[in-house]
Every structure is written in structure tokens, then in C-alpha cells.
Amino acid sequence: MIFRPEQLKIKDQRMKPFIDPEEIWGYLNNSPATKAQVREIIAKSLDKNRLTLAETAILINATDPELIEEIKQGARRLKEKVYGQRIVLFAPLYIGNLCTNNCAYCGFKASNQKVKRVTLNREELIQQVTALEDVGQKRLILVFGEHPKYDASFIAESVRTVYGVKSGPGEIRRVNINAAPMDIDGFRTIKDAKIGTYQIFQETYHPETYSKVHMGGRKQDYDWRLTALDRAQEAGIDDVGIGALFGLYDWRFEVMALVRHTNHFEAVYHVGPHTISFPRIQYASELNIDKGHLVTDEEFTRLVAILRLAVPYTGLILTARESAAIRDEIMQFGVSQIDGGTNIEMGGYAKKGKHEDQDIDFEQFQINDNRSLNEIINELIDQKYIPSFCTACYRLGRTGEHFMEFSVPGFIKRFCQPNALLTMAEYLEDYAPAETRQKGYLLLQEKLDEIEDEVFKTKLIAKINQVKEGHRDLYF
Ligand code: SAM
Ligand code: SF4
């Protein structure tokens, strides 16, 4: 693969191609998994060490049910050790579904005549954000098709509008973006609007498959997309999310490529991606893909556990594409963020009533978890997870935060867990029905009782009391 310097415009050493399919298949085909090796690798990861590509390949090649179970349990222990019981919540908000690309898997593809094309105007955007704030959302990801209308200035303006909406005690404190690749100036423009994470998925890292499923438009250019996050870095956006759309090509290859992409970031920018996403293909209007690589639930669970072990300090995102049952099952193996109360129908959040009957002609694909935000929070609390809306690190300029959580001793205890509890208390005060409020405070008390440092505990209780008195947005 050749990177064209005019696309990248960054220093020579960074132009080396970092995805080499032969290298990846070389590892996969030459790394048999023995029991002893698999156990050694899990132990290395539990010691909070990043895994190499060779080690990741060995975990992927472990097919003995006993070893698969050990990998899953290793991932579960690592998650508890590194992240504690927090789950960060967010919601996706589709701004516009105009698109000039023809991605075989996507309902918004240009050739799809059935889909109704909508771009939210300022008023409509404000209505959507108001509806999201009114149920307690604090973190959004704005999603855009790829279209000249959605240039960097348009995206930056949307971000500013979202930050400006205040409904009652509600506000959006972190706006992430999922949008088409830009040039470096474009990335500077959206950085100035104070975006949180810039997220983009390579979809498939396998070049031939990539060409097959991207049948038109700018997205046909594999390298332009693969190097997008390098240009983002160059523009000063150091908080980025990567991902692959599982079901296009062999899942084992995509997992290796995600780890390789992470290695590239660590080698060049000294901080890995903030998050990894692993959407599985869902039904969409005019879906047109070869079904040979669809990923089973069992493979999906394995791949999440392997990713957790391979990149212990990178956030893992599991979305409402998956059913509630699968999300509940897989969360334990290392997921750190989920969306809640998701509605991907264009303009859908401001509509009254429950989002159960999806109109696929208004949506990119079908989602399978239609629970409201409060239903999800209820269930998280029942399972002793702390629902978190924390945005402290981003607000204090502590980016590369997952690295910090992972590497700074006590960081989670001192910052993440207390901040999660503070944002949960805000939610309980402002948005929760009585039943959720009651059990939420019981969980909060349990977590307070676990804190051994009395001085710190007193400080946290004081802040929680401030929240109860009406102060908002408190964090450590
Ligand atoms: N237009 C932007 C782009 O292509 O980067 C935004 C992408 S889209 C709104 C977000 C992600 O949804 C895509 O990158 C793709 O991975 C995923 N996606 C597309 N079609 C899907 C489908 N049928 N099922 C599940 N995920 C899908
Ligand atoms: Fe357009 Fe993105 Fe859908 Fe491709 S995945 S058709 S680029 S909205």
C-alpha cells in the first residue's frame, strides 16, 4: 500500500504503511495456541501489559473451549481491575443522512432511492438536543453522512449549537463526532469547536474487501480513510476512536488490524486511540453484502474479550445495534461505554412515545436495543454497575485519559469512580423516577462504604451533599 504524501502532509517516518495483510495473515497462520502460552499471555495482560500482534494471534487461534473460557474470564478480571464497575453512557445523534458514497452495508448509500434524506436545521437540532437533555443525557456523538454540505464548518457549527442548548438543569458536556475524513485544516476547524473524540471506522482493514464494498464516492479511497486519524493528530486532535465493521471480512483479521492500528498510534504519537468500536452489520434498507463473514454471537464474545486483553487501556464501545441480552452478556468482558436511550431515526428524539417501530427508510440500519436511558440505568444499577456521565478529564484537558486511568496508580479510585458517582447523583436528583432514585442511592452508599481513605471519603460525601443541594457539574 502506498501512502500519498499530498494526502498525509506529515513527517516521512509516519508514512510507512502500517497495515500489511501479509504480515497479519503471517501471524494468524503461524501462531498455534498451546495452553501454556495462552495462560502466560492472559497473565501478562492481567499485569496491565499491552499484547503484541503475535500474542494477539495466539489468543485468536485458541479454539479449545476451556481456553476460550479462560480468555473470557481473564478479560472480565482485567476489566474489574482496570476500570472498576463504571459504564459510561452516551447517545448518538444523526444530524444529516445525505451521502455521496455507496457503501454496500449502509442504508444511507447514495444509490438508495427509498431512504428519506434529511438534514436537521438549527431549530430541529435544538429540539433534538433539548429532548436528549430532558432525559438526562450529557455526552453525545454527532453522526453525519459524507456530503459536501457537511464540511468542517458545518460540523463545527453543529457542535457549537449543541453546546449552547441548556434545558432546565440539562446540558451537553461532551460532543464527539463520527464524520467523514477531512484534511488537516478541516480537523483544525472542528477542534476549535471543542469536539471530544473524533471517531471514524475503517470498516474493513482488508484492502480487497474494502474495494468491493465501497462502490462509489470518496470513501473508495482506503488510504485517505486509514490516514484520517494521522491528519487529526497533526491538527491537534489527540483523542480519537477507531473501529471495524464486523461481518465484511474475517473477524480474526480485523481484530489483528485494530491492534496494529493501535500500535501505530502508540509508536508515533505515544498515546493509543481513546476507544475501539466493533459494530456488527445489522439489517439496513437495500443491504447488499456477501454474508460469508457474518460474526456469530460466540465469535463476537470472543473477539471482545481478546480486544480487552490485547489493549487493556483502550475504551471499548458496544452500541444498541446489539440486543439488550447480548449487551448485558458482553459488557462484563471489558466494555467501558454503551449508548442508552438510542434513537437513530432522523429527528427521532423529539418525537413523543417509545421508539419501538423503527422506520428503516429514515435510518442507517436497524438497532436492537430500544430501552430508554432510564431503563438501562435501572438495569445497570441492578447489576451493580455505576452509570457514569463523567466528562472531567476532557474538561480539565486530561486527554489520553484512558492511558492515565490505566497507568497512574490510584487514578480510578481518586478520579473516575468518584466522578462517576457524582454524575450518577446528578442524574438521580434531576431525572430519575422514585424507584431508580432509591436504588441508585443505595448503590452509592455501598460504594462509599468501600472507600478506605476517610479524608477522601469525607470530601466526596461533601460534594454529593452539594449535588443534593442543587450544585451541578462537580468533579475531581
Ligand atoms: N458517513 C460516516 C462514515 O461513513 O464514516 C458516518 C458513518 S456511520 C453513520 C457510522 C458507522 O456505522 C459506519 O462507519 C459503519 O461502521 C456503521 N454502519 C454502517 N452500516 C451499518 C449496518 N448496516 N449495520 C451496522 N453498522 C453499520
Ligand atoms: Fe454514507 Fe457513511 Fe453510509 Fe457509507 S457508511 S453510505 S459514507 S453514511
Side-chain angles (χ1 to χ4, degrees), residues 17-35:
F18 52 85
I19 299 291
D20 175 354
E22 273 182 36
E23 180 194 44
I24 290 177
W25 278 118
Y27 281 119
L28 285 170
N29 291 332
N30 297 295
S31 310
T34 65
K35 268 190 192 172

Side-chain angles (χ1 to χ4, degrees), residues 135-136 373-374 377 389 423-432 436:
V135 294
L373 179 62
N374 194 70
I377 288 182
F389 295 95
T423 57
M424 178 170 89
E426 278 191 354
Y427 177 83
L428 298 178
E429 288 297 317
D430 293 337
Y431 303 102
T436 312

Side-chain angles (χ1 to χ4, degrees), residues 15 71 156 181 191 228 251 299 351 383 427 440 452 464 471:
M15 283 187 215
I71 290 172
K191 181 182 162 58
W251 67 268
E299 290 165 335
K351 287 189 185 159
Q383 295 163 51
Y427 177 83
E452 285 163 9
I464 288 169
H471 296 272

Side-chain angles (χ1 to χ4, degrees), residues 50-80:
R50 273 277 274 106
L51 301 184
T52 63
L53 279 174
E55 289 161 342
T56 308
I58 292 174
L59 295 188
I60 290 173
N61 285 336
T63 48
D64 173 346
E66 187 190 346
L67 288 181
I68 291 177
E69 193 50 37
E70 286 183 31
I71 290 172
K72 290 203 283 195
Q73 293 320 319
R76 206 158 64 86
R77 279 173 58 205
L78 185 72
K79 177 188 151 78
E80 279 170 18

Side-chain angles (χ1 to χ4, degrees), residues 328-386:
D328 286 350
E329 162 73 12
I330 286 181
M331 228 157 44
Q332 58 178 316
F333 301 121
V335 171
S336 53
Q337 289 192 28
I338 61 171
D339 50 344
T342 296
N343 185 331
I344 63 170
E345 187 176 322
M346 300 296 310
Y349 289 112
K351 287 189 185 159
K352 295 284 169 247
K354 232 171 128 71
H355 175 228
E356 262 155 3
D357 302 318
Q358 283 183 257
D359 180 349
I360 206 72
D361 290 338
F362 266 114
E363 295 177 325
Q364 192 185 17
F365 48 79
Q366 186 172 332
I367 61 165
N368 290 297
D369 184 354
N370 286 311
R371 286 175 294 177
S372 68
L373 179 62
N374 194 70
E375 281 169 332
I376 291 206
I377 288 182
N378 253 327
E379 289 174 33
L380 287 175
I381 292 172
D382 288 341
Q383 295 163 51
K384 305 278 180 214
Y385 285 110
I386 309 169

Side-chain angles (χ1 to χ4, degrees), residues 48 76 78-90 139 174 274 308 312-318 330-338 376-377 380-381 383-394 398 401-408 410-424 443 447 450:
K48 301 184 179 179
R76 206 158 64 86
L78 185 72
K79 177 188 151 78
E80 279 170 18
K81 198 164 160 179
V82 174
Y83 292 96
Q85 288 298 90
R86 292 168 303 127
I87 293 282
V88 172
L89 289 162
F90 70 95
R139 304 167 60 112
R174 179 173 175 129
H274 182 140
R308 173 69 303 143
Y313 48 82
T314 305
L316 295 185
I317 302 182
L318 181 62
I330 286 181
M331 228 157 44
Q332 58 178 316
F333 301 121
V335 171
S336 53
Q337 289 192 28
I338 61 171
I376 291 206
I377 288 182
L380 287 175
I381 292 172
Q383 295 163 51
K384 305 278 180 214
Y385 285 110
I386 309 169
S388 173
F389 295 95
C390 181
T391 53
C393 283
Y394 153 74
R398 292 193 299 236
E401 76 216 55
H402 281 268
F403 181 71
M404 257 185 281
E405 287 174 26
F406 179 74
S407 61
V408 177
F411 192 91
I412 290 184
K413 274 195 186 150
R414 293 258 153 209
F415 297 99
C416 307
Q417 180 122 333
N419 287 339
L421 292 173
L422 283 165
T423 57
M424 178 170 89
L443 177 69
K447 296 293 164 190
E450 287 169 11

Side-chain angles (χ1 to χ4, degrees), residues 94 99 101 103 105-108 143-146 178-181 200-201 203 219 225 244-245 279-284 287 321 364-365:
Y94 279 69
C99 195
N101 292 325
C103 309
Y105 44 81
C106 177
F108 292 164
V143 187
F144 302 81
E146 180 157 1
N178 183 317
I200 187 172
F201 307 152
E203 317 298 10
K219 196 164 166 182
R225 196 164 178 94
L245 180 57
R280 275 196 297 185
I281 293 184
Q282 307 297 328
Y283 175 71
L287 181 70
R321 289 174 180 85
Q364 192 185 17
F365 48 79

